[in-house]
Amino acid sequence: MSRRPSTPSLLRLAFAAIAPTLLAAGLAAQAQDFPIGSKGASVQLDAPWQRKQLDTDLGDDQFQRSERRGFFSRSSEVYVVVMEIAGILENEADYAAALDDQCSEGNGVAPTIVKEVGWTRASRVFDATLDGVACAFRNELLVGDGLAYHVMTWSVKSQRKQLDEQVAGFVAGFEFPGVDSAHGKGLAPTTRTVVGGEFALDYTIRPSLLREAKPDDDELAEWRSGDEEQLLALFTVDGYRTLTSMVDGERDALRKWDATYKESARGEFEVDGVRCAWLLGGRDGQSIKSVHLPLGGTQSLTVRWLAKGAVDAFRPAREALFQSLRLRRLAGGVDLPALPAATPAVANTALDRFLRGGAERLSPIAMPGVGGAQRAGDGWLLWNWRELHEVTADGHRQLREGDEGCRFAAKHRGQTLVGGHDGAVRPLHGDTLGAPMFDAEAACVAGDDLWLLRRSGALLEGVATAPADIALVRRAATGGETTLGTFPCGNAAELAIDATGSHLLVRVDRTVAGWLQATPSFAPKLLLVPLAAPTPRELGEWTALAAIAAASDGWLVTGTPRGAAAGVWMVRNDGSREPLLLAPIGGLRALAADATSLTVLAATGMGQQRLVVLARDACRRDGVRCQPFANAQLAAIGSRLLGALGSRAPRTAAEVQAARRQADVFTNEIAGAPLPTSPDDVETLLTAAADWDDPLPDAGRALLGVLTASAALAAGGEWVEGATTDWSAWRVRAPTVYDTPFAIVVQPGNMVTSALDDSESYATLTMDTGDRQGRPLLVGLDPAALRARVLARMPAEAEAAVRSGDVATLRRVLEARSGEHELRRHVYGQLAAHGQHEALRQLASRFALGAEQQPCDLVAWIAAGSRKVTTTEEAKAWMDAALDAVRKAPREAALYLWLGRAVDRAFPDEPQKSRPCYERALELAPYGDVAASARKALGRER
């Protein structure tokens, strides 16, 4: 959009620039054409007019007319600035808004609308006094298709008549871009096509009104007006079988996007015999109309037009596009083999194995994370920053999602209350929030009453971020409130009440203790509040707290007591505690417990939550052994190990495993449980030991180094002996030896320091040992020895062979190391990068057609084969080969991309045939370069 001018500053410049008479008496007038803007407009003016730049920020289209009509008359000065506006202006409200936007003076003055031949003129005439000078204004908006020109003119008030005359002449000489200009040619209707499901949708666009924009990932196409005020988007939607559900789904999606959206009208119509639906609505200052076209099954295609202005505003460009829609049923696409179910990665930590022994009450809950939970009847309300879910015995459902956020929720007298991050509590009506009812930082339900924690006073914004004290309030069903008192609490995170209604438990996150000390302590707190005498007292010391809940025999606390292991603890009012499940608390939340069972919510790592019921006996026997080691215990075990082995640290694989067995002896004595052995469990222990408030001493770090090396060796790693003999190498970082296509490297000291000292670990042991693709796993402490071992594995002759396309040499290298699939993939990539496509095809065919076949071989062979296709018959043969490759590796996304391209080449007049291929590629790989290419193919012009 053109930059908005400042009228007062323009006038000051204009009056300062008034010059003596510019034309001598008797000089003959001579007309001249001046180009305007960038689209091809022009204005023809006589000689008293001249182009004169009053302000460099306002472009080149600035003019002045200075004329004296008599020897003794005053000079007549008229000033004009023309602004080009690339946008769709269609009604009086659009014209007034454009005038307002271009010039702040005169806002509120209704424009006069005149229909000219081929365009419209909107005039706004007004007077204003600026810097003590009485001025006359005449602003003209000249509106054509997809283009407008704001002609802002002014002079002194006494010259109003001359101003009106000269502006009339200026406008009379104005010409819009001609039919041969790029803008004029772009006004011709152009048919575009998108393909969805069983149909192709044709629609008519005038490119000078709407320019093509880069579509979002989920869009087939997107178009925008030049001023970005109108947007057309086309996209497919899945999950709706009826027209009513399609429109309802669109309404709900728009409400989630903006809670102020309101539906205005809806209806049905036909497009080429297919019954379709439309929805009209909007939000403040924006109109949104969408058309919904069934594509077969549960798929539909949405055509959505957003425009600035009132919902009922006249929009001929929009209606013309909707009237241009044409649907064509397509012949079927290429038949793809059924997609086999993915083999899910099964987490194998001790906690995962223990949870699999419990009873899952429901199917997994689709929720990326849980920030809080509260009992609601026989179920729970679960929430995170954006989402609120309800879980019952019959299942679960999402109640709402929105940017307003959810700090807590409670089910009270049949109504769901949502506490926002602004401190206000609002009722939930459908999927929207009502007006604020009261304020609270946390809440819990006690019969018909609510217990609330509330800020005890107003904050000084910009000075204090949280109150020092929190008020405890009882809110009756009638709305009356009683404050029982205040107590130092800081930010209260969660509130729970016991089954007897006699005590409250408050979870406080990271309250600062000793803040005037040189090293403050940021410890969380558990505060027990007896309601008979509401004076809180702390229940133990904690280094981390994730959740609290009432249980039949105490309080369920998911957290880490100071000096103990993390997990789920039963804490009683006298401060005593009992471990129920010892494991990392990230993604774990205890919800309920009785004499025989414990109910927990656990994240699966795939954006889902599991509700699992565990037997209390199993918890006492096995749950407390999942990860029972606190840093103090690790330090004690490490000290015993170093004392037993002396100053000479392990140097060989046998010595590493011997040290590991020696550590187990001390572990059973100190902790009563064995140290973990699997890579998953060792990684869990490394993560749990990263505690900034309780850093692990050197002896504990050395122990973790031994455990890391032992786990890597047990997973098939090869120990690389070096010159290092000192224990420090087991607990400090050394220069990193990076993974290569020839080997994966594990450096125990680096793994330990990365896990304990870095905000994000640079790698995980699970990845290093699980994703090898045939590469050996090298384990060691000495960077020089590790680097030499990696370099020794590098095939020296391969680099030159890649550059020259020497297939024989590369084949010999890869056949000698046929099990190293990552090396093959790397060589293929290097050949492609160097443009050696024929060498790539020949080399890949050796493995793609052999017994050692891997997905990387098939992809390289099919991709390189595309270069040899020149005829339709060759394309069909290439397509058959790609189909066969897909059957052999049905979950390899890149193969479907190349199959789609082969189908396009084999059937150039049947674009729908390739669509299933690109959709399958997107299904398997929604991100990355394959996805980008598949998405481009699906949305390209047909």
Side-chain angles (χ1 to χ4, degrees), residues 67 129 131 234 412 418 470 504 514 534 641 662 667 682 770 907:
E67 184 179 24
T129 299
D131 294 338
L234 297 90
H412 182 234
V418 178
I470 286 288
L504 289 170
L641 178 64
Q662 181 69 66
T667 303
V682 171
F907 301 95

Side-chain angles (χ1 to χ4, degrees), residues 820-837:
E820 298 184 30
H821 310 141
E822 180 62 19
L823 176 60
R824 287 216 299 272
R825 189 197 64 78
H826 180 68
V827 169
Y828 295 155
Q830 289 295 300
L831 283 170
H834 284 82
Q836 297 286 358
H837 300 119

Side-chain angles (χ1 to χ4, degrees), residues 357-717:
E360 295 203 20
R361 287 187 51 176
L362 300 169
S363 59
I365 302 166
M367 197 173 179
V370 176
Q374 186 161 144
R375 195 75 189 229
D378 293 332
W380 288 271
L381 292 174
L382 309 177
W383 60 85
N384 58 26
W385 178 261
R386 287 182 50 84
E387 302 176 29
L388 175 62
H389 293 241
E390 183 175 28
V391 177
T392 66
D394 298 327
H396 54 86
R397 63 191 180 105
Q398 180 175 301
L399 298 181
R400 78 174 306 271
E401 179 181 10
D403 290 332
E404 302 94 335
C406 182
R407 184 168 184 168
F408 67 85
K411 200 86 161 183
H412 182 234
R413 295 172 59 83
Q415 187 176 48
T416 301
L417 304 179
V418 178
H421 295 285
D422 59 357
V425 179
R426 299 172 173 86
L428 184 65
H429 302 302
D431 61 353
T432 61
L433 296 177
M437 298 172 61
F438 53 89
D439 291 342
E441 302 292 294
C444 66
V445 179
D448 287 340
D449 294 344
L450 282 169
W451 283 101
L452 312 175
L453 292 174
R454 180 176 292 160
R455 290 184 174 185
S456 60
L459 294 179
L460 287 176
E461 287 81 359
V463 179
T465 59
D469 297 334
I470 286 288
L472 177 61
V473 179
R474 184 168 190 163
R475 182 180 175 86
T478 59
E481 294 185 350
T482 304
T483 300
L484 274 70
T486 61
F487 49 89
C489 185
N491 284 326
E494 198 172 5
L495 181 66
I497 189 167
D498 65 10
T500 66
S502 61
H503 289 79
L504 289 170
L505 188 66
V506 182
R507 175 169 69 88
V508 182
D509 279 345
R510 301 183 72 81
T511 297
V512 178
W515 58 273
L516 285 179
Q517 299 174 4
T519 305
S521 172
F522 296 88
K525 290 183 180 180
L526 276 183
L527 300 179
L528 183 69
V529 184
L531 296 180
T535 301
R537 62 181 176 85
E538 291 190 39
L539 282 185
E541 293 186 54
W542 301 80
T543 60
L545 287 170
I548 59 174
S552 60
D553 51 340
W555 304 98
L556 282 175
V557 180
T558 307
T560 308
R562 186 170 296 282
V568 177
W569 295 79
M570 181 68 73
V571 181
R572 297 179 176 82
N573 289 350
D574 62 3
S576 61
R577 62 176 184 253
E578 169 195 357
L580 299 181
L581 175 59
L582 296 181
I585 58 177
L588 182 67
R589 175 179 291 268
L591 297 180
D594 56 28
T596 61
S597 66
L598 169 67
T599 301
V600 299
L601 193 70
T604 66
M606 297 179 289
Q608 295 180 324
Q609 311 292 323
R610 291 176 292 167
L611 196 63
V612 184
V613 180
L614 303 162
R616 288 281 287 270
D617 287 343
C619 291
R620 294 186 183 96
R621 183 182 64 253
D622 301 319
V624 295
R625 296 165 65 91
C626 290
Q627 203 298 97
F629 303 104
N631 279 4
Q633 294 170 311
L634 294 175
I637 298 166
S639 295
R640 293 280 298 275
L641 178 64
L642 267 63
L645 297 180
S647 61
R648 188 179 185 278
R651 295 180 56 184
T652 65
E655 289 177 354
V656 170
Q657 299 295 35
R660 172 68 174 72
R661 290 190 296 272
Q662 181 69 66
D664 270 334
V665 174
F666 303 133
T667 303
N668 285 313
E669 295 175 4
I670 294 171
L675 285 165
T677 58
S678 73
D680 290 321
D681 287 329
V682 171
E683 181 188 334
T684 298
L685 185 60
L686 285 169
T687 303
D691 188 341
W692 291 82
D693 293 322
D694 183 21
L696 189 64
D698 288 349
R701 288 171 174 258
L703 171 67
L704 292 182
V706 171
L707 295 183
T708 300
S710 174
L713 291 173

Side-chain angles (χ1 to χ4, degrees), residues 39 115 186 214 249 282 437 778 824 932:
K39 305 293 185 181
K115 296 290 185 180
K214 182 180 180 181
M437 298 172 61
L778 306 179
R824 287 216 299 272

Side-chain angles (χ1 to χ4, degrees), residues 127-185:
D127 297 330
T129 299
L130 298 172
D131 294 338
V133 179
C135 301
F137 286 84
R138 187 176 189 96
N139 288 348
E140 302 281 357
L141 188 69
L142 314 181
V143 183
D145 276 349
L147 201 57
Y149 293 89
H150 177 229
V151 181
M152 183 172 66
T153 67
W154 70 94
S155 186
V156 294
K157 185 176 181 181
S158 61
Q159 297 179 355
R160 160 65 69 187
K161 182 179 179 181
Q162 293 94 322
L163 174 69
D164 292 343
E165 292 174 352
Q166 299 306 331
V167 171
F170 190 97
V171 172
F174 196 91
E175 293 285 345
F176 273 81
V179 294
D180 293 331
S181 67
H183 179 81
K185 293 177 181 177

